């Protein structure tokens, strides 16, 4: 009996071991293979039918294994579904944002259309098809989407520009602050003129100035008026010596015009003399006293620097028509003062006043720029030498061309703006001076100093 029971237990143990071995092998297979198909069932049935062991646990293990496989399948499927769901969710979020934007644009556009509808005739919508309207609305929504995108971009640009403006404002403030410490271009230009002048003409020490030696004064006339006063009433060339001159020199005197006694300082009538000369020539004078000439700035200063003179300018155009400009007061400064036109006033005449613009200006030549034109040299630009300012309304030492000029010769000729203009070259010009006398016209207009009385 015991042996029989022992054999039964041994058979059961053997059966269990066999089943465990089978389950182990089967589990490995199902883990690798994703599906338990019909062949597998047949395989298990064959193993089950062909086995001589009848064990219920085999079926249980089979079902557990099948459930495990199915569970794995479901898990993999759910994972895949979860990933797909996430992907769709992200896509939906994007689409949602786009739709929201479109809706906003659509609302705005509908509002605009509604407003527009109030202004159109009632039969407008009847005439226009619904499809057409929908198409239009669709296009408008797309347009609005584009506008919204553009606005966002613009907003970004505006932010960037604001930052730049802020930066520029700060930089400008800094520059303005520094600008107060800078000298102006005009100041530098004037300083340069003074430096150039001082290099050419160093200031004279005070102890060099001396009173004229009256004990050794020349008995020569001091000017043409003095010649006339000495009884010479014939126009011509005379030898004179102003008090301020260390040596005598020849001058041309006019004893006929306006009571005579005029000393020529400038004479042109045929273009035989070149007047486009340098500073040294204009200082000491050039040309032929018996023909065309410039008396010289130093001589003019000797004649006018210590007593106020009258100035008479006489002009003749290419047709022989004459005009004159008379100034009751005329005087120029010394070489140290740049031979500036220091005194000028009391104009009368029929040529017009084309010199008063130059009052106070220094004399400039092509090689010595003392004008107030910062960027250039008037003497070079207008082919002359004059009391240029910035630049001129007269240019009597300009080119001798005689008559009307082409456009590119504007300001180039021997011209007097008030008489024939600046695009013209006169045929004759002369400038004469004479010390003021008791019969000279008043320097200032009558009543100028009597207004307060
Ligand atoms: Ca200049």
């Amino acid at each position: 009996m015991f042996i029989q029971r022992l054999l039964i237990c041994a058979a059961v143990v053997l059966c269990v071991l066999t089943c465990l071995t089978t389950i182990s092998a089967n589990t490995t297979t199902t883990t690798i293979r994703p599906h338990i198909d019909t062949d597998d069932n047949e395989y298990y049935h064959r193993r089950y039918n062909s086995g001589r062991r009848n064990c219920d646990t085999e079926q249980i293990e089979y079902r557990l294994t099948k459930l495990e496989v199915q569970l794995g399948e479901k898990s993999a499927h759910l994972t895949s579904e979860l990933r797909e769901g996430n992907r769709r969710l992200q896509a939906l979020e994007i689409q949602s944002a786009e739709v929201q934007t479109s809706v906003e644009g659509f609302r705005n556009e509908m509002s605009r259309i509604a407003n527009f509808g109030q202004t159109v005739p009632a039969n407008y919508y009847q005439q226009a098809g619904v499809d057409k309207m929908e198409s239009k609305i669709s296009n408008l929504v797309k347009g609005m989407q584009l506008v919204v995108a553009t606005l966002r971009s613009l907003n970004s640009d505006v932010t960037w520009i604001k930052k730049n403006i802020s930066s520029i404002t700060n930089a400008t403030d800094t520059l303005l602050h520094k600008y107060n410490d800078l000298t102006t271009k005009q100041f530098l230009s004037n300083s340069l003129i003074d430096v150039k002048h001082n290099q050419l003409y160093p200031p004279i020490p005070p102890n060099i100035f001396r009173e004229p030696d009256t004990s050794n004064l020349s008995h020569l006339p001091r000017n043409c008026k003095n010649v006339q006063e000495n009884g010479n009433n014939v126009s011509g060339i005379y030898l004179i010596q102003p008090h301020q001159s260390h040596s005598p020199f020849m001058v041309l005197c006019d004893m006929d015009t306006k009571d005579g006694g005029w000393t020529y300082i400038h004479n042109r009538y045929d273009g035989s003399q070149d007047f486009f000369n340098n500073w040294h020539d204009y200082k000491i004078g050039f040309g032929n006293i018996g023909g065309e000439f410039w008396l010289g700035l130093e001589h003019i200063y000797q004649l006018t620097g210590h007593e106020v003179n009258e100035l008479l300018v006489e002009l003749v155009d290419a047709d022989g028509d004459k005009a004159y400009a008379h100034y009751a007061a005329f005087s120029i400064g010394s070489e140290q003062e740049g031979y500036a036109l220091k005194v000028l006033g009391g104009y009368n005449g029929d040529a017009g006043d084309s010199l008063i613009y130059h009052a106070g200006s220094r004399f400039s030549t092509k090689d010595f720029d003392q004008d107030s034109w910062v960027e250039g040299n008037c003497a070079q630009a207008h082919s002359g030498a004059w009391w240029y300012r910035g630049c001129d309304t007269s240019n009597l030492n300009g080119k001798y061309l005689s008559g009307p000029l082409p456009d590119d010769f504007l300001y180039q000729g021997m011209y007097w703006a008030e008489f024939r203009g600046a695009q013209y070259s006169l045929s004759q010009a002369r400038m004469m001076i004479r010390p003021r006398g008791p019969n000279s016209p008043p320097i200032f207009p009558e009543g100028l100093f009597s207004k307060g009385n």
Side-chain angles (χ1 to χ4, degrees):
M1 186 69 183
F2 176 74
I3 294 170
Q4 188 178 3
R5 285 181 180 178
L6 188 64
L7 286 172
I8 292 167
C9 286
V12 170
V13 170
L14 185 63
C15 179
V16 169
L17 286 175
T18 304
C19 286
L20 286 174
T21 304
T22 306
I23 288 165
S24 178
N26 201 22
T27 302
T28 303
T29 304
T30 52
T31 302
I32 295 170
R33 300 176 64 188
H35 297 285
I36 299 296
D37 52 22
T38 309
D39 294 336
D40 292 323
N41 288 330
E42 290 175 357
Y43 168 74
Y44 272 96
H45 283 298
R46 265 202 314 277
R47 289 285 303 269
Y48 179 77
N49 293 328
S50 64
R52 288 172 289 180
R53 310 168 196 91
N54 185 10
C55 185
D56 292 336
T57 56
E58 195 173 17
Q59 285 188 354
I60 293 168
E61 290 299 330
Y62 166 74
R63 286 176 181 172
L64 282 173
T65 302
K66 190 172 183 179
L67 280 173
E68 188 182 11
V69 171
Q70 286 175 345
L71 187 64
E73 285 181 334
K74 289 287 179 186
S75 178
H77 181 69
L78 281 173
T79 302
S80 175
E81 286 292 314
L82 192 61
R83 285 175 184 165
E84 178 64 16
N86 279 333
R87 190 185 64 77
R88 288 185 178 179
L89 187 62
Q90 289 175 358
L92 279 173
E93 283 175 354
I94 294 170
Q95 286 175 357
S96 174
E98 291 176 350
V99 168
Q100 191 173 355
T101 303
S102 300
V103 167
E104 286 175 6
F106 182 73
R107 279 179 182 164
N108 293 335
E109 192 58 27
M110 285 304 292
S111 175
R112 197 184 71 81
I113 290 167
N115 293 334
F116 173 75
Q118 294 174 359
T119 62
V120 299
N123 59 352
Y124 177 85
Y125 296 106
Q126 295 173 358
Q127 294 173 1
V130 175
D131 292 341
K132 193 175 179 182
M133 282 300 293
E134 285 178 348
S135 174
K136 282 185 177 180
I137 289 168
S138 174
N139 288 336
L140 285 170
V141 168
K142 288 177 182 174
M144 285 305 295
Q145 288 173 349
L146 187 63
V147 167
V148 169
T150 306
L151 280 173
R152 283 176 182 163
S153 174
L154 282 174
N155 192 37
S156 172
D157 289 345
V158 166
T159 304
W160 181 79
I161 288 167
K162 277 182 180 175
K163 286 180 183 175
N164 276 10
I165 286 172
S166 175
S167 174
I168 289 166
T169 302
N170 291 338
T172 304
D173 288 343
T174 305
L175 282 175
L176 284 174
H177 182 69
K178 289 182 178 178
Y179 180 78
N180 294 328
D181 299 332
L182 293 175
T183 53
T184 64
K185 196 175 181 183
Q186 183 67 52
F187 174 79
L188 288 172
S189 177
N190 292 339
S191 301
L192 188 60
I193 287 174
D194 289 340
V195 168
K196 286 162 70 180
H197 201 273
N198 288 336
Q199 283 178 342
L200 284 171
Y201 314 105
I204 299 171
N207 60 357
I208 288 184
F209 285 113
R210 50 187 161 83
E211 292 294 322
D213 186 359
T214 53
S215 63
N216 194 27
L217 277 179
S218 168
H219 294 290
L220 290 170
R222 291 177 288 113
N223 49 55
C224 288
K225 185 180 181 183
N226 209 192
V227 172
Q228 187 187 44
E229 289 168 347
N230 291 340
N232 297 295
N233 294 313
V234 179
S235 297
I237 298 171
Y238 293 87
L239 187 67
I240 64 167
Q241 186 174 6
H243 285 169
Q244 285 71 32
S245 176
H246 295 293
S247 58
F249 55 91
M250 296 284 186
V251 290
L252 178 62
C253 297
D254 182 323
M255 304 303 188
D256 304 310
T257 304
K258 299 182 187 299
D259 300 328
W262 297 101
T263 304
Y264 279 73
I265 61 172
H266 167 278
N267 195 26
R268 300 182 77 179
Y269 54 88
D270 61 6
S272 59
Q273 173 65 44
D274 180 10
F275 273 68
F276 194 40
N277 293 320
N278 59 29
W279 178 259
H280 183 70
D281 295 321
Y282 271 92
K283 175 186 172 183
I284 64 170
F286 58 84
N288 172 15
I289 298 297
E292 291 194 331
F293 67 91
W294 173 261
L295 183 62
L297 290 163
E298 188 60 30
H299 288 329
I300 298 171
Y301 167 66
Q302 290 164 358
L303 289 164
T304 70
H306 296 81
E307 59 179 336
V308 179
N309 275 233
E310 299 171 48
L311 170 67
L312 180 62
V313 179
E314 293 190 330
L315 309 167
V316 181
D317 69 11
D319 298 323
D321 293 329
K322 299 178 180 177
Y324 77 97
H326 178 261
Y327 295 88
F330 171 78
S331 174
I332 69 167
S334 66
E335 184 176 16
Q336 280 70 34
E337 296 169 306
Y339 297 121
L341 189 48
K342 295 193 75 175
V343 179
L344 186 74
Y347 164 83
N348 73 77
D350 57 9
D353 187 357
S354 292
L355 193 58
I356 192 65
Y357 168 78
H358 299 271
S361 299
R362 293 173 177 233
F363 200 89
S364 289
T365 58
K366 62 182 179 183
D367 62 334
F368 192 22
D369 177 3
Q370 299 194 94
D371 60 42
S372 56
W373 179 21
V374 177
E375 290 82 10
N377 180 349
C378 296
Q380 283 280 2
H382 293 177
S383 309
W386 203 241
W387 293 277
Y388 292 114
R389 196 166 138 190
C391 284
D392 44 82
T393 57
S394 54
N395 191 35
L396 295 185
N397 291 327
K399 289 181 179 175
Y400 189 90
L401 300 167
S402 193
L405 303 175
D407 291 345
D408 54 349
F409 276 77
L410 180 66
Y411 303 119
Q412 297 294 311
M414 181 175 76
Y415 85 87
W416 189 269
E418 293 286 316
F419 180 58
R420 302 290 180 263
Q423 200 169 336
Y424 192 94
S425 191
L426 300 165
S427 293
Q428 295 181 43
R430 62 176 182 170
M431 301 170 70
M432 303 184 294
I433 55 174
R434 178 175 68 186
R436 286 178 56 79
N439 297 324
S440 295
I443 296 175
F444 303 106
E446 194 172 346
L448 184 64
F449 293 104
S450 60
K451 288 179 180 176
N453 297 332

